Amino acid sequence: MKEKVGFIGLGAMGLPMAENLLLHGYELYVTVNRNPKPVEQLKRKGAAELRSVEEIAAKCDILITILPADSEMEDVLLSESILSALSPDKILIEMTSGSPDTMKKIGDVYSSKGIRVLDAPVSGGTIGAQQGTLTVMAGGEEDVLEQVRPVLKAMAQKIYRVGGIGAGKAIKALNQMLAGIHMIAAAEAAALADKLNIDNTVLKEVIGASSGASWMLENKLDTIISQAYEPGFKLSLMRKDVEIAVSEARGLKLPLAETALKLYKQSELNDGDKDFSAIAISLQQKHDS
Ligand code: NDP
């Protein structure tokens, strides 16, 4: 008998991840936060709607959360009401890209109540979420990971255990720092190529076969050229991720990440809800002026 799974955070990532759990035969419990559409969509595919996150916590064996950031993680997971609804036989799989400190705080509170926790952020974007090909970066005890591995496999292709609680969030922050910097580098290359009258297909093909290649140049150049900035992954979320990396540095200098953070903060003022590749808009404007 498969576990009952409660899912909180039905956004760009959570909705397709939850759909994959249904496809793999899990009993799924959801509730409306503000937007009813994902709950309606999941109900049509077999999910059960409950009235609150507390009801989900009481009903499920495994609770999955993938929320925007630290503050939502704290609001949802550290509320007295959810803590009293969760009994020690439950497991929390926390998949938000949050900070290691907040994850450790939640981990400490939960383990003091005997609730087991896996810190399990993901990479692979909305396409990976739809196709069930995400990468999971898991922090926590090995036996907890083994117990929930089948659930993770319904959503992910690669699952790594990277250390204890907080280590998943830490390696995710490292990935996002690199991804955020690489995105800016690709956008700058596109702007300079334009100035130098280098065709974008040439840029993509030749650099793609050379030492300047990057995942962002390969996968995001077309978005920049077509200016199709529908998220995807919101620029405001990338700002949050680079900010986590910079704040984790605690005195260590990260000049590129600090510069990237400034640029994402500026772009967020106008383009925060666009795809993160919209950082190219502000770079282009600077370039033209
Ligand atoms: P979205 O903004 O699309 O979705 C966030 C979801 O959380 C919404 O469904 C929202 O519900 C829900 N939510 C917010 N606050 C609460 C709350 N207090 N209680 C219950 N539900 C709440 O974000 P994404 O799905 O894009 O990202 C989620 C996390 O995954 C982030 O940490 C992000 O950095 C990370 N991530 C995102 C990727 C991407 O490509 N998008 C890739 C990898 C990781 P409502 O809309 O109803 O308010």
Side-chain angles (χ1 to χ4, degrees), residues 30-51:
V30 292
T31 193
V32 174
N33 183 46
R34 289 173 305 180
N35 176 9
K37 279 189 189 158
V39 170
E40 292 307 322
Q41 193 168 321
L42 290 167
K43 273 165 68 180
R44 284 196 291 275
K45 296 185 175 183
E49 180 183 0
L50 298 179
R51 279 174 302 182

Side-chain angles (χ1 to χ4, degrees), residues 135-282:
T135 296
V136 172
M137 308 161 189
E141 297 296 329
E142 205 152 352
D143 64 321
V144 180
L145 172 58
E146 289 319 312
Q147 194 169 338
V148 302
R149 189 179 284 277
V151 177
L152 297 177
K153 278 180 84 173
M155 302 179 282
Q157 202 166 43
K158 293 191 176 144
I159 299 165
Y160 296 98
R161 181 171 174 269
V162 295
I165 298 288
K169 300 289 188 252
I171 193 136
K172 176 65 184 172
L174 287 169
N175 183 73
Q176 294 307 98
M177 180 183 89
L178 287 165
I181 292 169
H182 288 170
M183 183 67 250
I184 293 169
E188 282 192 8
L192 183 58
D194 188 41
K195 184 91 174 169
L196 299 176
N197 293 320
I198 297 290
D199 186 73
N200 289 309
T201 37
V202 174
L203 175 70
K204 199 170 162 181
E205 187 177 344
V206 178
I207 303 292
S210 305
S211 55
S214 72
W215 190 96
M216 292 300 167
L217 205 57
E218 170 78 23
N219 290 282
K220 286 293 184 183
L221 192 58
D222 292 342
T223 316
I224 295 174
I225 293 158
S226 62
Q227 299 182 7
Y229 294 123
E230 191 67 27
F233 177 52
K234 279 178 254 173
L235 193 145
S236 60
L237 291 175
M238 178 57 97
R239 187 273 305 149
K240 170 259 308 178
D241 287 346
V242 178
E243 194 154 37
I244 291 173
V246 169
S247 66
E248 284 300 310
R250 296 188 177 116
L252 176 72
K253 282 192 176 157
L254 299 174
L256 284 181
E258 285 161 17
T259 304
L261 178 57
K262 272 190 209 144
L263 294 172
Y264 283 113
K265 277 186 174 171
Q266 281 163 16
S267 283
E268 190 180 11
L269 298 174
N270 287 323
D271 300 319
D273 285 335
K274 295 193 175 88
D275 188 73
F276 73 109
S277 51
I279 189 80
I281 298 172
S282 59

Side-chain angles (χ1 to χ4, degrees), residues 8-15 31-36 38 53 66-69 71-73 75-76 95-98 121-127 134 172 176 232-234 237-238 240-241:
I8 303 176
L10 301 169
M13 292 299 285
L15 174 60
T31 193
V32 174
N33 183 46
R34 289 173 305 180
N35 176 9
V53 293
I66 179 156
L67 294 158
S71 63
E72 292 84 4
M73 283 166 66
D75 286 351
V76 173
M95 307 187 89
T96 308
S97 306
V122 290
S123 182
T126 49
I127 292 176
L134 294 170
K172 176 65 184 172
Q176 294 307 98
F233 177 52
K234 279 178 254 173
L237 291 175
M238 178 57 97
K240 170 259 308 178
D241 287 346

